[in-house]
Amino acid sequence: MNARTQVFEMALEGRQVEEAVSSLFHTLLFHRTLGKFHYKQEGNYCVGTVGYEDADCDFVDLTYVRCSSGDIKKIVHKEATAFSECLRSQERETQGQARSGHISLTFYQIKKARWPFPSESIPWEVWNLRMELMTLASEIERQLYREKVGELLAEKILYIAESMNRPSYVPKMPNQPELDLIFDTSFADIQPYLFKISYGTSPPSTSMGTTVRRLLKDTLSI
């Protein structure tokens, strides 16, 4: 199976990374989450509701919608914060040299294998964020860029919503014994498709640097 893959590239201040990652990953998870399944008997079940709430950003002009589940908020916050700290620590170690990194949200299903072979995790959708840290010289630049990043994230959130409404592969609804091969059943109030978050850092690419300079030029010329 070839997983559907999407890549977003952004240049951000260090303090904006956690909020940018959270806004995009929460949007994705909101669309890839169902209410808790309640089985009455095999093949007969009802699906609970998914609570939601508005989330306001502190360093970006953006408000977005996310699942109100406390557990899923903790997971996203933990991974987004760890990625942000990793990028910022790398920048300090290289004495301010620009650093870039990637963080991905992967949705997968589990394929059981015959004994003695282990089960296999098969990705069916992967969303990659490539981010480069940047430093702005003045508060005026920070305010302008705060607004620009908000606009960029809003565009990406709209793109995600439109993508989710298009026909695309999702695992077929399983029967009760196979539920945890498709969904994460560990949450008390919701049931997202199985997912994992991973990240790493790397030197900035030439194309990414060109994108950053063009974006800065466009923003500060307003």
Side-chain angles (χ1 to χ4, degrees), residues 118-188:
S119 298
E120 182 182 2
S121 296
I122 302 176
W124 53 270
E125 187 173 73
V126 182
W127 296 81
N128 294 304
L129 309 183
R130 294 177 183 168
M131 298 185 169
E132 183 170 311
L133 290 190
M134 51 174 291
T135 302
L136 298 174
S138 68
E139 192 57 39
I140 294 176
E141 290 181 357
R142 292 189 187 94
Q143 183 57 39
L144 287 172
Y145 205 66
R146 171 193 176 100
E147 296 170 3
K148 184 64 176 179
V149 171
E151 293 172 1
L152 292 172
L153 288 172
E155 290 174 3
K156 296 182 189 307
I157 287 171
L158 180 60
Y159 173 83
I160 290 170
E162 292 174 344
S163 297
M164 295 298 178
N165 288 326
R166 301 190 196 113
S168 60
Y169 173 83
V170 294
K172 66 179 183 179
M173 203 59 63
N175 53 36
Q176 186 175 5
E178 297 179 339
L179 195 64
D180 58 0
L181 302 181
I182 304 297
F183 294 99
D184 188 333
T185 58
S186 65
F187 294 88

Side-chain angles (χ1 to χ4, degrees), residues 76-102:
V76 174
H77 176 72
K78 176 184 176 182
E79 298 295 338
T81 300
F83 174 61
S84 174
E85 291 176 350
C86 184
L87 274 183
R88 299 175 82 171
S89 65
Q90 289 287 334
E91 185 183 40
R92 288 192 293 269
E93 291 173 5
T94 55
Q95 298 179 342
Q97 180 183 346
R99 295 297 300 181
S100 66
H102 57 274

